[in-house]
């Protein structure tokens, strides 16, 4: 092998060692960042779990769904009640007016 070829090969080997060292340090930095992110995610997860009664987000969701259903039924009940009262009140008014007209006509006829 010629002297020039050895010099070129030596330069390539030096670059490869430098590249490996750079990659190794970058890998170490990435690992540290990943570990820091994992730690933050775990802390957030614990905080999230502690935000729910007994750490049960599913039960918390079911509770809210039950409250929403109860309020929907209550709204439906009051809507029906209002409709029924208005209807019966109107019929009572019509009945009262009919009786009043009948008494008035009867008094005028006498």
């Amino acid at each position: 092998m010629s002297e020039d070829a050895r010099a070129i090969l030596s330069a390539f080997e030096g670059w490869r060692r430098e590249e490996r060292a750079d990659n190794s340090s970058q890998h170490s930095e990435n690992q540290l960042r990943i570990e820091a992110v994992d730690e933050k995610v775990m802390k957030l997860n614990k905080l999230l779990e502690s935000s729910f009664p007994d750490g049960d987000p599913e039960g918390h969701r079911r509770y809210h769904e039950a409250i929403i259903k109860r309020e929907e039924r209550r709204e439906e009940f009051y809507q029906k009640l209002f409709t029924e009262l208005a209807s019966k009140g109107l019929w009572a008014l019509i009945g009262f007016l009919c009786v009043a007209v009948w008494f008035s006509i009867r008094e005028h006829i006498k």
Side-chain angles (χ1 to χ4, degrees):
M1 186 180 294
S2 72
E3 193 63 35
D4 291 335
R6 283 192 180 124
I8 292 172
L9 189 57
S10 177
F12 277 132
E13 287 176 0
W15 289 336
R16 281 181 51 194
R17 278 193 294 275
E18 289 174 14
E19 187 67 29
R20 284 185 186 148
D22 285 346
N23 285 345
S24 178
S25 69
Q26 286 178 354
H27 180 72
S28 296
E29 288 177 24
N30 288 342
Q31 283 299 114
L32 291 174
R33 288 179 182 165
I34 289 171
E35 288 172 7
V37 168
D38 283 347
E39 185 177 333
K40 287 180 182 179
V41 167
M42 289 176 65
K43 284 181 181 178
L44 286 172
N45 192 34
K46 285 181 183 178
L47 176 64
L48 181 64
E49 286 178 354
S50 69
S51 300
F52 296 104
D54 298 326
D56 184 15
E58 183 67 23
H60 188 73
R61 181 186 59 79
R62 285 191 311 268
Y63 169 77
H64 280 282
E65 288 174 348
I67 296 294
I68 290 168
K69 284 181 183 178
R70 183 185 75 196
E71 290 302 316
E72 287 172 348
R73 286 191 307 266
R74 181 178 286 165
E75 177 64 28
E76 182 181 343
F77 168 77
Y78 282 118
Q79 187 64 36
K80 286 181 180 179
L81 178 65
F82 175 76
T83 303
E84 286 292 318
L85 287 175
S87 173
K88 291 181 182 186
L90 181 61
W91 280 113
L93 179 63
I94 291 171
F96 174 77
L97 290 174
C98 287
V99 169
V101 167
W102 183 66
F103 275 115
S104 176
I105 291 172
R106 197 173 86 179
E107 285 298 315
H108 281 30
I109 293 177
K110 284 185 180 182

